[in-house]
Amino acid sequence: IPTPTPHIVILPSAGMGHLTVSTRLAAALVSHGCLVTLITPLPMVSEAESNCISNLCSSFPHIRLLELHLLPFDAPDVDPFLRQFESIRRSAALLEPLLVSVTPPVSALLTDVTVFSSVVPVTKALRIPIYMIFTTCASMLALVSTFPGIRKEAGDGPIESIDIPGVGTIPGSRIPRPLHDPKHLFTIQFVETGEAMLQADGILSNTFEALDGDILAALNAGAVVPGFPPVIAVGPQEPIKLRAAARPAVERDDWMAWLDAQPPKSVLYVAFGNRTAQSREQIKELGIGLEKSGCRFLWVVKSKIVDKDDDDGVELGELLGEGYLERVGERGVVVKSWVIQEEVLAHPSVGGYLSHGGGNSTFEAVLYGVPPLIWPGGGDQQMVAAQVEKRGVGVWIKEWGLCGVNQVSSDDVAKRVREMMEGDNAVGESVRRMQEEAVRGLGPGGSSYEGLRKFIAGVVE
Ligand code: BUP
């Protein structure tokens, strides 16, 4: 009897850190022979997300799109991406007619961690298996899964520290800051997610054995939470290769041509993800620090949280200070808002990455063998930084505090950047060794590749 083609439906969430993982999984599942339908929650928050969907469709025309028109959630003071999570969560009931009407019938629904708990009742009512997509490191997964009890024990107060079996002690300062406030919308969503997790048929995690093997083993042995669903590490999923026609016209030629002209491993890539905007003062100080370091750099500047928001038409020259670009000359390239990061990290001229420690960005750095120098901001970023430091595949600059919150001086920037780019670089060696393991994991016989096959086999059973 021929095996039926599984029909996987994916509901992503907001922000590039989340959407990226869903779209890469969609592409990987298609290449493993699945039929894939992607539900797009509309309207999207940022231009980058809309571009990401267009790129996916033009590179994978067989992926079907279904639109989910969101109920508005009017909360102007809430972070726009968190607001969108809530909007998707509140619109979950609208999924039912979509899931009922698609053909062939849905074999499984995959949905992002940030909206998972609201989707569970819908899939349970329709008897559709549900899998959670977890976008970041395994210690963060362990944190979500144990957090409901921890939050309850702490009452209304902040959390001092957390002991998680198989993970260790996590100081309160390392967890996302809103979690100290039980009434914060992020905390409410986080607790609901932790409570609903046990109902998942499985969890597809974007991390990988070489980085997170010990914690994944603890989760799968039920040492963190008894009866925990199987966690299948399928990351770091490879970036989607854009077809020529799908390439965005953004400043690309300038920075690629410049990278091509630089000596091997001489360039520091500087970017802080799609959700961490910096103050104008900090942008100037960072710029002066990069200039003082004397190193070559490619820097993505982000002064606003959402790319399409008005930034008063401020030009780069004004953001960086008069004469800056001229002074730096050929030694540095500054791009406002966005580059194709995977192409930058894959470029032979790039030898270091000053980063915010976002899950995807850090996994991508490992996949391309570029050591990250991490200045973490909110969310999972300190947890990622801690794991990277534990494995010796990156450096966490603890004394800088939190990116987007604390200010760092140009002298400190120059010092740390020089150390990373000119030091003896044992970290560089470790990251290249882990790169080899990550790349092996993605090929036939590798842990991430076989993990995905195992998931597909489970769905068609
Ligand atoms: Br900036 C930037 N180009 O210029 P993370 C980012 N990216 O392709 P975050 C670009 O966005 P959350 C750019 O490669 C990565 O895949 C980058 O995801 C890409 O962090 C993604 O690293 C960013 O997980 O999201 O943006 O802070 O907080 O939601 O994890």
Side-chain angles (χ1 to χ4, degrees), residues 274-323:
N274 87 120
R275 290 178 61 182
T276 313
Q278 276 164 334
S279 66
R280 293 210 186 165
E281 297 72 52
Q282 184 62 79
I283 290 174
K284 283 211 173 84
E285 200 63 23
L286 198 55
I288 297 169
L290 293 171
E291 183 185 1
K292 282 184 184 167
S293 78
C295 299
R296 293 181 173 81
F297 62 87
L298 168 57
W299 175 21
V300 183
V301 167
K302 210 165 145 34
S303 60
K304 53 198 171 140
I305 292 178
V306 175
D307 53 12
K308 59 189 176 199
D309 278 358
D310 189 10
D311 68 347
D312 312 325
V314 186
E315 295 298 328
L316 263 182
E318 196 186 330
L319 266 180
L320 301 170
E322 208 179 318

Side-chain angles (χ1 to χ4, degrees), residues 389-421:
E389 185 183 70
K390 184 169 120 188
R391 288 273 184 258
V393 291
V395 175
W396 175 5
I397 327 171
K398 294 204 187 71
E399 71 274 16
W400 286 12
L402 292 182
C403 183
V405 176
N406 301 102
Q407 297 285 308
V408 58
S409 75
S410 58
D411 285 336
D412 287 343
V413 172
K415 176 172 167 284
R416 283 303 208 149
V417 164
R418 247 187 262 120
E419 278 167 13
M420 164 62 85
M421 298 304 285

Side-chain angles (χ1 to χ4, degrees), residues 14-18 20 24 269 271-276 300 302 337-342 356 358-362 364 380-381:
M16 286 303 284
H18 293 273
T20 298
R24 287 178 186 171
Y269 170 54
F272 302 100
N274 87 120
R275 290 178 61 182
T276 313
V300 183
K302 210 165 145 34
S337 215
W338 200 253
V339 295
I340 303 172
Q341 181 164 301
E342 71 235 40
H356 66 311
N360 289 283
S361 295
T362 307
E364 287 159 15
D380 56 326
Q381 294 159 16

